[in-house]
């Protein structure tokens, strides 16, 4: 078995035994890479990139992974590396089949080692042995640390610091018995039990960055202390404006283009811009103050194609689902009839056609359409699920009356001011619900206060948000298992929790797929959320940005390895007048 047999792989008992014989990325490296779609250009060094990332309105949430901030990989992925990473040689742009846009879903055949060079399964007890790359260096950081080699103890320390974090997602590392460094470059993970997400949770997930002890001792929450093995070093940060990274001259990795290996990174600087106003970040793209803007609403695209026709584009289905969570531990939402009624009171098909101009899918959450084998189309689901996506105000009123609310009721819906799309959409939902006598108050909140309300379980009865799909198993676990951090409806069902545990213990992916489909049916029917359409999003970039095709992530919200491989054709940029 090859390295690609990761947590989504179909592993029967016999296959697991075969896995334990030991496999690595070294074997996979011997396989031929997909043919390039076009003749490769020779890269050029120097210059800088200004990038508006997917969450262009949001500043970094934390520089410390111990804070359990979901955006950590996006903000720090240029400096903090992980054990595993997505293999960009398998991208569509290079003749492969993967778009690499999912927020935290790496295809089974497109995972490779980053800091880990190889791994080997062992039995009795169940464990995995990882060999780290030798010669990977932390750069010198005056006042924090001297330049030194990455060693196994760095991985062990990083794991245990996260495991002991008071902000840790409940049960996240319960499958791990211990982690130890058996020599300078070998890390051994011993498990209490198999977990289908073993490599995602600490290998390439949201909380997988390897942060040296020196940074922790100096204060990991202070950006000035940050220092990792990645292609760039964090050199400046202006909150609400710009995060600036400069080339790490001792970086270890290379990029092969046209059959030749080139030392990374190509550009000297990368600036991640924070721009809270939609019209401002659109203007920044149009005037080339941004080289790349990763997330644009459909409504801005037509005008940009006219005013800046040289821009290149990609279109992708949003990797987060929109919904209005209803606290099931709060009246009237403890009554399933009320929750189903509110779903039927909203014309979701009209939202697709009118609000999104057809640029949305009616049903693509909590399972994303990219999750082949796990996703079940709405027309294949039971009628009880399908009818929640049909506009039926008469039945909605009847259900409310049956539940004891013939004249409706009122409740508060918290929404984040950081999302222009949401600030426009929530009043539309209010108008639909108002027709049935249900009135909502809409307090807009800054992102920090908004997320704090959910994580402390003090959120209002209504909570409007976009939540990343993450991956097929996590999408269900984090949103609907008891006391999970990202569970704004406070949904709790002991039997549902047991079913989730069974999914993680199941080694056969085909069986996991069936279990997840059944759980998805169940949660859709129970309606802890008002399920809403999932819109398409656009990415745009100027043609002088090379070695790029709209890829967004190669791990959990982690674009760093993608950005590190871009280069700038400065002659073309000058020729175009910029």
């Amino acid at each position: 078995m090859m390295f690609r047999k990761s947590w989504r792989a179909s592993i029967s008992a016999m296959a697991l035994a075969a896995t334990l014989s030991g496999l690595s990325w070294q074997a996979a490296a011997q396989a031929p890479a997909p043919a390039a779609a076009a003749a490769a250009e020779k890269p050029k060094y120097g210059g800088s990139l200004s990038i508006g990332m997917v969450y262009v309105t949001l500043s970094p949430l934390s520089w410390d992974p111990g804070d359990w901030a979901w955006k950590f990989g996006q903000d720090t992925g240029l400096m903090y590396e992980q054990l595993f990473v997505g293999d960009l040689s398998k991208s569509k742009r290079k003749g492969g089949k993967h778009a690499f846009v999912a927020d935290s879903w790496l295809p089974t055949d497109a995972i490779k080692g980053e800091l880990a060079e190889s791994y080997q399964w062992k039995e009795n007890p169940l464990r995995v042995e990882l060999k780290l790359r030798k010669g990977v260096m932390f750069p010198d950081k005056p006042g924090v640390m001297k330049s030194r080699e990455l060693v196994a103890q760095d991985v062990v320390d990083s794991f245990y610091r996260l495991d002991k974090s008071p902000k840790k997602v409940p049960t996240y590392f319960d499958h791990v018995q211990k982690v130890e460094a058996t020599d300078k470059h070998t890390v051994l993970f011993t498990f209490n039990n198999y977990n289908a997400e073993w490599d995602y949770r600490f290998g390439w997930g949201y909380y997988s960055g390897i942060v040296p002890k020196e940074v922790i001792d100096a204060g990991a929450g202070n950006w000035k202390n940050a220092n990792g093995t990645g292609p760039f070093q964090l050199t400046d940060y202006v909150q609400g404006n710009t995060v600036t990274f400069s080339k790490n001259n001792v970086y270890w990795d290379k990029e092969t283009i046209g059959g030749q290996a080139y030392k990374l990174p190509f550009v000297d600087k990368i600036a991640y811009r924070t721009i809270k106003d939609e019209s401002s970040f659109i203007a920044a793209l149009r005037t080339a103050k941004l080289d790349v803007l990763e997330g644009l609403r459909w409504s801005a695209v037509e005008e940009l194609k006219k005013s800046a026709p040289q821009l290149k584009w990609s279109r992708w289905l949003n990797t987060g689902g929109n919904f209005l969570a209803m606290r099931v531990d709060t009246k009237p939402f403890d009554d399933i009839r009320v929750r189903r009624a509110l779903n039927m009171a909203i014309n979701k098909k009209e939202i697709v056609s009118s609000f999104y101009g057809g640029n949305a899918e009616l049903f693509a959450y909590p399972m994303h359409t990219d999750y082949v084998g796990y996703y079940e189309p709405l027309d294949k689901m039971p009628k009880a699920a399908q009818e929640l996506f049909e506009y039926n105000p008469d039945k909605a009123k009847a259900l409310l009356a049956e539940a004891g609310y013939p004249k409706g009721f009122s409740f508060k819906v918290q929404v984040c001011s950081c999302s222009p799309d949401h600030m426009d959409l929530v009043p539309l939902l209010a108008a639909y619900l108002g027709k049935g006598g249900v009135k909502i108050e809409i307090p807009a909140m800054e992102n920090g206060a908004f997320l704090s309300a959910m994580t402390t379980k003090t959120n209002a009865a209504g909570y409007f948000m976009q939540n990343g799909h993450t991956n097929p198993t996590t999408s269900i676990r984090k949103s609907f298992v008891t006391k999970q951090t990202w569970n704004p409806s406070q949904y709790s069902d002991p039997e549902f929790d047991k079913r989730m545990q069974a999914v993680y213990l199941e080694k056969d992916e085909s069986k996991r797929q069936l279990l997840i489909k059944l759980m998805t049916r169940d949660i859709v029917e129970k309606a802890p959320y008002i399920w809403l359409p999932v819109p398409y999003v656009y990415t745009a970039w100027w043609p002088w940005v090379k070695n790029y095709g709209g890829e967004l992530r190669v791990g959990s919200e982690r674009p760093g390895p993608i950005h590190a491989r871009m280069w700038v054709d400065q002659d073309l940029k000058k020729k175009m007048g910029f």
Side-chain angles (χ1 to χ4, degrees), residues 17 47-48 60 152 242 265 334 366 373 405 408 493:
S48 62
T242 309
D334 57 342
Y405 302 95
D493 178 350

Side-chain angles (χ1 to χ4, degrees), residues 262-441:
Y262 294 88
K263 181 176 172 59
L264 290 172
F266 294 119
V267 298
D268 294 329
K269 288 188 177 182
I270 289 180
Y272 288 161
R273 293 291 311 281
T274 300
I275 308 174
K276 293 189 176 183
D277 179 69
E278 184 178 28
S279 61
S280 296
F281 61 70
I282 291 172
L285 175 67
R286 184 191 299 111
T287 57
K289 290 182 175 62
L290 286 176
D291 299 291
V292 182
L293 182 56
E294 293 182 341
L296 277 160
R297 288 202 284 177
W298 68 274
S299 54
V301 173
E302 184 177 352
E303 187 278 328
L304 275 168
K305 286 185 175 180
K306 292 177 181 177
S307 61
Q310 304 98 326
L311 286 170
K312 293 179 175 291
W313 295 91
S314 68
R315 179 178 183 257
W316 45 280
L317 186 63
N318 203 320
T319 56
N322 290 328
F323 56 82
L324 197 165
M326 298 169 282
R327 287 193 66 139
V328 299
D329 61 349
T330 303
K331 289 188 178 299
F333 300 126
D334 57 342
D335 192 322
I336 189 174
R337 293 170 295 185
V338 173
R339 304 195 303 268
R340 289 181 64 85
L342 267 56
N343 270 278
M344 296 178 194
I346 292 175
N347 193 335
K348 300 173 184 180
K349 291 181 179 178
E350 188 172 68
I351 290 174
V352 170
S353 61
S354 298
F355 185 80
Y356 289 119
N359 290 276
E361 295 293 337
L362 181 65
F363 175 67
Y365 185 81
M367 281 296 113
H368 197 280
T369 57
D370 285 353
Y371 300 160
V372 177
Y374 294 89
Y375 176 79
E376 184 176 30
L378 186 61
D379 61 4
K380 302 296 183 183
M381 299 186 80
K383 182 179 178 181
Q386 293 182 33
E387 69 175 350
L388 297 182
F389 295 83
E390 294 290 339
Y391 183 48
N392 193 338
D394 292 336
K395 186 168 183 178
K397 289 179 180 178
L399 282 172
L400 287 176
E402 183 180 318
Y405 302 95
K407 296 182 179 180
F409 56 91
S410 62
F411 69 106
K412 181 184 294 185
V413 176
Q414 292 171 322
V415 61
C416 184
S417 60
C418 61
S419 173
D421 185 76
H422 291 179
M423 294 302 293
D424 290 343
L425 182 55
V426 175
L428 178 59
L429 302 185
Y432 282 125
L433 296 177
K435 295 177 182 179
V438 176
K439 297 179 175 59
I440 63 176
E441 178 188 346

Side-chain angles (χ1 to χ4, degrees), residues 441-452:
E441 178 188 346
I442 313 171
M445 307 172 70
E446 287 294 321
N447 188 62
F450 177 75
L451 289 179
S452 177

